[in-house]
Amino acid sequence: MKKYKKVYIEITNRCNLKCSFCPQGVRTPKIMTVDEFRHILDEIKPYSDYIYLHVKGEPLSHPEIAGFLDLAEEKNIKVNITTNGTLIGRVGEKIADKKAFRQINFSLHSFDGDMDKIDEDDYLKKILDFTKKSLSLENTYISLRLWNFHGGNKNEIQMEGNRKIIGKIERYFDLEYKIEDKLIPGRGLKIKDRLYLNTDMEFKWPELCDKDENEDGFCYGLRTQIGILVDGTVIPCCLDGEGVVNLGNIFEKPFKEIIEGKRATAIYDGFSNKKAVEELCKKCTFKGKF
């Protein structure tokens, strides 16, 4: 039986920001129901013990986020959350001590997005306050992300926004060193136990309208990861934010049949030979990283 390290579940495709690095898309806004989430957990449980509440949308905006963590605990499934962090002051108390809660990734590069109505100092303080409390519970990992690098050089650490954020992290945790002296662009830095600062290149979602394409390459989609959109559409990886590569709907067909279907098998076999068979995969630049 296939085992996935990551099953991405999009519990909502709604977001409270409009960041330049994240295409807005054309799908109908939706939030997943409790029954739908429970059904998905039942279907994927034999195939993974880890879910990631992420594809598009802001997971912390879901009104049942705390209940979803309780459901995951019932199924003995660990939960990882990726968030822009703007709602952590409102939601943090509800989720911090949940036993299924394994890791939270704060996309701090969201300060580049549509945050006109958000005070950046208050935004970061609430994230760091939650981080401090979470670390005291010793059950959750925290990743502070700056995925807005372009050339991957030291100069980009000194971008105004990055410098401000890094400085606040240093002061908040009373660090005895300068993060800039230790940070290598494109890699992570352990700040303290369970707390990491991760940097990477600016995120680029593949789109069918992209002019460049290349069928050569490799992808871990359908090998170590798979995704499920809010409407139940199963996708091969977390980069198909519009459900272009629709493998089937988990609310209409058993998960086992979907991942063993002709389209999924063709994708898997293609990448076994270092070839992309789907048009979206040919447009994706991430396959060149492996």
Side-chain angles (χ1 to χ4, degrees):
M1 180 182 294
K2 293 180 181 178
K3 279 286 188 178
Y4 299 105
K5 293 181 180 179
K6 302 177 181 180
V7 177
Y8 291 91
I9 303 177
E10 181 188 69
I11 59 174
T12 178
N13 60 351
R14 297 175 177 176
C15 189
N16 59 331
L17 297 182
K18 294 182 179 179
C19 299
S20 60
F21 54 81
C22 187
Q24 298 307 300
V26 296
R27 289 186 289 141
T28 302
K30 185 182 186 309
I31 63 171
M32 188 173 289
T33 68
V34 172
D35 287 342
E36 289 172 336
F37 187 71
R38 182 185 292 109
H39 174 77
I40 289 174
L41 294 186
D42 288 337
E43 287 289 305
I44 63 98
K45 175 56 184 173
Y47 302 91
S48 184
D49 295 320
Y50 299 92
I51 61 174
Y52 288 66
L53 303 187
H54 175 58
V55 178
K56 290 287 190 74
E58 172 48 55
L60 295 189
S61 70
H62 199 294
E64 300 292 342
I65 182 66
F68 281 8
L69 287 166
D70 289 336
L71 281 175
E73 182 186 350
E74 290 178 14
K75 307 294 183 183
N76 198 27
I77 293 176
K78 292 297 184 181
V79 180
N80 302 267
I81 299 174
T82 296
T83 171
N84 60 40
T86 56
L87 303 176
I88 196 64
R90 184 192 312 169
V91 182
E93 291 289 333
K94 300 177 183 179
I95 66 175
D97 61 352
K98 297 296 184 181
K99 294 181 180 179
F101 189 19
R102 176 185 176 273
Q103 179 169 324
I104 187 165
N105 307 310
F106 288 106
S107 298
L108 300 184
H109 46 281
S110 295
F111 72 79
D112 286 333
D114 180 25
M115 295 183 65
D116 294 341
K117 298 180 181 179
I118 299 173
D119 182 277
E120 291 185 21
D121 292 333
D122 182 62
Y123 162 74
L124 191 59
K125 183 180 185 304
K126 286 179 178 176
I127 289 175
L128 296 180
D129 285 346
F130 173 84
T131 296
K132 184 177 182 179
K133 177 176 180 178
S134 182
L135 293 177
S136 71
L137 297 174
E138 297 185 346
N139 66 339
T140 305
Y141 293 92
I142 309 287
S143 171
L144 305 176
R145 291 180 172 181
L146 285 173
W147 286 12
N148 58 355
F149 286 63
H150 295 86
N153 56 64
K154 276 278 189 177
N155 292 334
E156 292 187 277
I157 297 176
Q158 298 180 8
M159 290 168 51
E160 182 179 355
N162 287 353
R163 179 188 291 165
K164 183 177 180 180
I165 287 174
I166 287 173
K168 286 185 176 295
I169 294 171
E170 290 171 346
R171 291 189 292 275
Y172 189 93
F173 291 105
D174 196 23
L175 301 183
E176 297 179 352
Y177 60 88
K178 290 288 186 180
I179 289 176
E180 186 174 340
D181 294 338
K182 295 178 176 289
L183 191 64
I184 299 175
R187 298 180 62 179
L189 173 67
K190 183 177 180 179
I191 296 176
K192 57 193 307 181
D193 286 346
R194 295 179 175 269
L195 175 61
Y196 298 83
L197 176 64
N198 290 295
T199 64
D200 209 335
M201 301 302 107
E202 185 174 79
F203 191 80
K204 173 66 174 72
W205 293 87
E207 298 178 86
L208 289 177
C209 62
D210 293 339
K211 293 182 179 180
D212 296 332
E213 69 174 56
N214 179 14
E215 67 175 11
D216 296 324
F218 178 78
C219 179
Y220 286 101
L222 294 175
R223 275 179 162 75
T224 63
Q225 66 163 281
I226 195 167
I228 303 168
L229 298 181
V230 67
D231 65 354
T233 299
V234 178
I235 52 178
C237 76
C238 64
L239 300 183
D240 184 4
E242 290 300 303
V244 173
V245 187
N246 185 342
L247 302 178
N249 193 295
I250 199 168
F251 300 140
E252 301 170 358
K253 184 185 297 186
F255 186 66
K256 182 178 187 296
E257 289 185 22
I258 293 173
I259 62 175
E260 293 177 356
K262 289 183 179 180
R263 194 170 190 180
T265 300
I267 295 170
Y268 186 98
D269 291 344
F271 280 123
S272 295
N273 295 310
K274 304 295 195 299
K275 295 291 183 181
V277 299
E278 293 283 346
E279 287 302 311
L280 187 69
C281 299
K282 293 176 183 178
K283 304 283 188 179
C284 182
T285 58
F286 269 71
K287 65 182 184 297
K289 298 178 65 173
F290 309 117

